[in-house]
């Protein structure tokens, strides 16, 4: 053929690859291995152009390495648990498993025409009982090793979905899926003790030379190591039964500029005072309901309420400092209390201005003349030389920090301390479609892990979604079980695991997805680490940080050798696929298929010829209807055209703008390549060659 006919050529070779089992990966000690992996998809039912770009990148690497003689592992699976399946069950009166498995089937059929070099024999789905049985086994080992805890904590509660939300799932104070105003609620939750690994996870970033600097920086900031002091302030009046308040600060050098102390609305003292003070109680409730994310805390107006409590300044005799409850203090960082130095912290400055508190400058900034500074509208930040600070005067701020810590220790009023922002990972989710937590509640024995021989704890199939909440809590037959220790009647744990747990070790399971143990050590020794991991920057913190922790947990529990505690040698974060957005006269979003361009440049709606407003180009999303179906592109132009466009139109780390003209240009390029090869093969000078490959090789 002198023209590239994708409908003939692509199915022909894809069939050949499948029948020849070309991409099947098996251990071969005689060959060097290469493990390339794209972050596995959620089975929503449709692949999108983001998938095409992501998997095309991995495919290029896999094929290149295979052509260089490497033994390549390039698997595919499905991140298949989660709330969308339960929502579908309620809306469509269909079982989550049926919905999920149907979507997997559809997406797999959509992926195959892309011609990816995937080893489908390694396919797995996290909702498969075989997979989550192994996950339950790992949980039991982690619980025995002290990596799991159960404790009361304040959580973001979605009153519609009736489940716990991570801070990242709260958008403008509302649940990311339901849109309902999120409430703060106290629940007993299961946690992985990731905070125990704060320093190790932080130091480990230095060795990840194959990771983008921006991702390492994001994780560094998320772990949030800081050095400072923990100061104990003595309470000087008897409003509360508490005797002191502990404060963690990174700037003990500014202690002489302190004009107030602020505690979190969840602080034990705030809770205690709220029991008898209606005004304080109302303020605390308002804070907890309105400020459910860190972003909300940063941007909200700083508010406080005076408790009436006074604390003693540790170095200034007879100076009493007022204690406020403030809406910008969180209980899960430091001690849930801060001392306010308004002159040198912008947040404290705003607060002091609002409540008419003292603002005392205690250091002169470096390289700035004092007469150039007017302390009226902003705090003085950075470092400098101490003033108005008694025994610290003349010292640098860095010197002053050490001196203050030493003096506090001598007085028994504080200690030097290192703190981390990273908090333990709350994995409890109050929903059905997730991996059941393999713990038993027994009245005699307390909390007991299920016996491994009884795994998996299967999700019940006869489940009802007739009302919100966790259906497992209403399934009496499923909850009722036998205590593994004393054989008494007991109750199963009804919380299921956060889906981030499922994705924190799937890359290990890919090396031996059918093994009766969670992992096969021979397969791990050969295939790990993942040489190239590819996925979106949106997973830079949670998924990647949790995976790094989980690998360390598997080292501690004896499943992994120490050398694999960092699972990903290299990481690439690809850009998004974007498209223009369109709205009709009523403000309704329109898909690209619903509009057309006039020669004048105006865009109109096909159905009624009304004028359409073109909006900014943004990431393709169902909500804005600016999605292009890869199936349509492949049917019209072929997979090679779609793949070439997403790989060539823009550097892979940057966003790409999807345009019809760009796709057509990619199609013309494929045609030119085909014609060139056709001309070479039919050249008179090369007719003596034995094969088409040999002819092309001669020209090269």
């Amino acid at each position: 053929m002198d023209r590239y006919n994708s409908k003939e050529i692509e199915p022909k070779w894809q069939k050949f690859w499948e029948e020849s089992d070309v991409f099947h990966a098996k251990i071969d000690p005689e060959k060097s291995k290469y493990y390339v992996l794209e972050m596995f998809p959620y089975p929503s039912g449709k692949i999108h152009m983001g998938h095409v770009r992501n998997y095309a990148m991995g495919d290029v690497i896999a094929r290149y390495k295979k052509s260089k003689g490497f033994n390549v592992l390039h698997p595919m699976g499905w991140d298949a648990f989660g709330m969308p399946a339960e929502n579908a069950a309620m809306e469509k009166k269909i079982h989550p498993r049926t919905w999920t498995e149907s979507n997997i089937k559809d997406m797999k059929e959509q992926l195959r025409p892309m011609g990816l070099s995937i080893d489908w024999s390694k396919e797995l789905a996290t909702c498969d009982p075989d997979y989550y049985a192994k996950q339950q086994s790992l949980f039991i080992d982690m619980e025995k090793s002290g990596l799991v805890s159960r404790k009361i904590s304040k959580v973001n509660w979605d009153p519609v979905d009736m489940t716990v939300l991570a801070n990242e799932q709260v958008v403008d104070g509302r649940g990311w899926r339901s849109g309902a105003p999120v409430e703060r609620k106290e629940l007993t939750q299961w946690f992985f003790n990731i905070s125990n690994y704060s320093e190790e996870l932080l130091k480990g970033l230095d060795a990840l030379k194959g990771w983008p600097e921006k991702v390492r920086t994001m994780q560094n900031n998320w772990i949030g190591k800081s050095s400072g002091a923990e100061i104990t302030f003595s309470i000087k009046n008897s409003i509360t039964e508490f005797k002191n308040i502990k404060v963690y600060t990174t700037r003990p050098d500014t202690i002489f500029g302190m004009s107030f102390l602020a505690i979190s609305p969840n602080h034990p003292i705030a809770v205690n005072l709220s029991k008898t003070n209606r005004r304080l109680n109302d303020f605390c409730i308002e804070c907890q309901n309105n400020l459910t994310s860190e972003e909300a805390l940063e941007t909200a107006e700083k508010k406080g309420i005076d408790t009436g409590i006074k604390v003693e300044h540790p170095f200034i005799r007879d100076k009493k400092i007022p204690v406020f409850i403030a809406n910008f203090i969180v209980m899960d960082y430091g001690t849930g209390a801060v001392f306010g130095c308004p002159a040198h912290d912008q947040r404290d400055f705003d607060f002091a201005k609002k409540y008419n508190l003292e603002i005392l400058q205690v250091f002169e900034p470096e390289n700035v003349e004092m007469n150039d500074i007017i302390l009226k509208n902003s705090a003085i930040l950075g470092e400098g030389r101490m003033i108005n600070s008694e025994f610290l005067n003349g010292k640098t701020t860095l010197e002053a920090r050490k001196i203050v810590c030493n003096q506090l220790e001598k007085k028994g009023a504080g200690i030097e301390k290192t703190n981390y922002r990273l908090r333990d990972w709350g994995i409890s989710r109050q929903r059905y479609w997730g991996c059941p937590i393999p713990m038993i509640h027994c009245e005699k024995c307390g909390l007991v892990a299920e016996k491994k021989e009884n795994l998996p704890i299967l999700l019940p199939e006869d489940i009802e979604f007739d009302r919100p909440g966790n259906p497992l809590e209403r399934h009496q037959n499923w909850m009722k079980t036998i205590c593994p220790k004393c054989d008494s009647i007991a109750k199963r744990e009804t919380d299921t695991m956060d889906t981030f747990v499922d994705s924190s070790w799937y890359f290990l399971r890919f090396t031996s997805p059918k093994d009766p143990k969670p992992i096969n050590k021979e397969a791990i020794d050969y295939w790990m680490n993942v040489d190239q991991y590819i996925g979106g920057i949106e997973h830079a913190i949670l998924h990647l940080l949790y995976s790094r922790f989980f690998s360390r947990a598997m080292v501690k529990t004896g499943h992994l050798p120490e050398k694999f505690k960092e699972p990903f040698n290299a990481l690439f974060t690809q850009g998004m696929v974007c498209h223009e957005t369109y709205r009709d006269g009523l403000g309704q979003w329109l898909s690209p298929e619903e509009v057309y361009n006039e020669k004048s440049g105006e865009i109109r709606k096909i159905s009624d010829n009304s004028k359409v407003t073109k909006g900014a180009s943004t990431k393709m999303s169902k909500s804005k209807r600016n999605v292009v179906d890869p199936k349509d592109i492949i049917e019209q132009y072929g997979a090679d055209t779609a793949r070439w466009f997403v790989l060539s139109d823009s550097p892979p780390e940057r966003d790409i703008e999807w345009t019809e003209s760009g796709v057509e240009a990619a199609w013309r390029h494929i045609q030119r390549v085909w014609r060139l090869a056709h001309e070479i093969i039919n050249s008179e000078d090369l007719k003596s060659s034995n094969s088409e490959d040999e002819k092309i090789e001669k020209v090269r």
Side-chain angles (χ1 to χ4, degrees), residues 4-59:
Y4 182 71
N5 186 332
S6 61
K7 292 184 178 179
E8 287 188 26
I9 297 299
E10 291 176 2
K12 169 189 171 182
W13 287 106
Q14 290 169 17
K15 182 181 179 184
F16 172 79
W17 297 332
E18 186 173 351
E19 291 177 347
S20 304
D21 212 12
V22 172
F23 306 122
H24 179 67
K26 56 185 178 181
I27 295 173
D28 184 352
E30 300 300 315
K31 282 188 174 183
S32 297
K33 68 89 184 180
Y34 194 88
Y35 185 178
V36 57
L37 182 64
E38 305 91 349
M39 294 179 185
F40 64 167
Y42 179 78
S44 61
K46 277 193 173 185
I47 63 167
H48 52 71
M49 294 311 304
H51 290 131
V52 173
R53 194 180 197 203
N54 200 20
Y55 304 138
M57 289 178 187
D59 189 62

Side-chain angles (χ1 to χ4, degrees), residues 562-575:
E562 174 80 14
K563 61 183 177 179
F564 297 135
K565 67 182 181 181
E566 290 291 354
F568 311 120
N569 289 347
L571 172 71
F572 185 82
T573 54
Q574 85 282 359

